[in-house]
Amino acid sequence: MYRLGSKQKEGEILGYINGPIINQPYITDALFEKIKENPKSGGYQSILGLAVSKQARNQGIAKILIEKMGELVEENRREGITLTCKRELVTFYEKFGFVNHGMSESKHGGVRWYNMVKLREGMN
C-alpha cells in the first residue's frame, strides 16, 4: 500500500497503468485495429499508458505501478512486459529492468518509438 504524501487527499488517483495482453514481444500499429479478449495465461503484458499526476511525481508511484504489473505477469504466467516509448524515456524504463530492443516499426502519431521489453525471467 502506498502512503499518501501531504499534498494528496485520501481516494485521489495518483497514477494509472494500462495495456492489453498481446501475443508478440513488440507493440505494432496493427494491434490497434482489432480488440481481442485477453488470454488467461501466456502472451506479453503490454503497457500502452503510464501516467502519474504532476503533484505526485518523484514519489515512486511509477515504480509501484510497474511492480504491480510485474506481479500480474508472474501470476498469469506471461512472457514479460512490453512497451514503446520516446527516446527521452528509454533510460527511465531501463531503471526498472526493461531492455531497449531498438527502434519500433510503429509510426503512431508520427513519432519515433523504441521497443522496451522486460522478460518474466528477469523480474525476480
Side-chain angles (χ1 to χ4, degrees):
M1 180 58 108
Y2 177 73
R3 187 170 285 254
L4 296 172
S6 60
K7 295 180 184 177
Q8 288 88 37
K9 298 177 201 143
E10 186 68 36
E12 183 179 4
I13 295 174
L14 303 177
Y16 74 88
I17 191 168
N18 72 317
I21 305 304
I22 61 175
N23 63 1
Q24 59 196 49
Y26 303 132
I27 296 169
T28 62
D29 293 342
L31 294 172
F32 296 97
E33 293 172 8
K34 186 176 179 184
I35 298 172
K36 297 179 181 177
E37 186 176 340
N38 287 338
K40 294 192 185 315
S41 66
Y44 289 84
Q45 173 65 62
S46 70
I47 296 177
L48 299 182
L50 171 61
V52 175
S53 66
K54 287 183 182 178
Q55 74 270 17
R57 291 188 183 154
N58 299 311
Q59 296 181 37
I61 305 284
K63 179 181 180 190
I64 291 168
L65 293 170
I66 291 170
E67 286 174 350
K68 290 295 180 189
M69 198 64 96
E71 289 173 14
L72 291 172
V73 165
E74 290 288 337
E75 289 171 19
N76 296 296
R77 298 179 312 280
R78 310 280 184 215
E79 298 296 320
I81 305 174
T82 183
L83 61 89
T84 56
C85 68
K86 296 176 184 174
R87 178 74 196 133
E88 60 267 20
L89 290 173
V90 168
T91 56
F92 173 79
Y93 287 108
E94 286 175 335
K95 286 189 250 179
F96 300 113
F98 286 85
V99 176
N100 181 355
H101 284 212
M103 192 83 61
S104 170
E105 292 179 15
S106 175
K107 305 286 187 244
H108 182 72
V111 175
R112 289 189 126 5
W113 300 96
Y114 289 81
N115 291 313
M116 304 295 292
V117 178
K118 183 176 182 179
L119 297 176
R120 183 174 55 162
E121 62 202 31
M123 289 186 193
N124 297 330

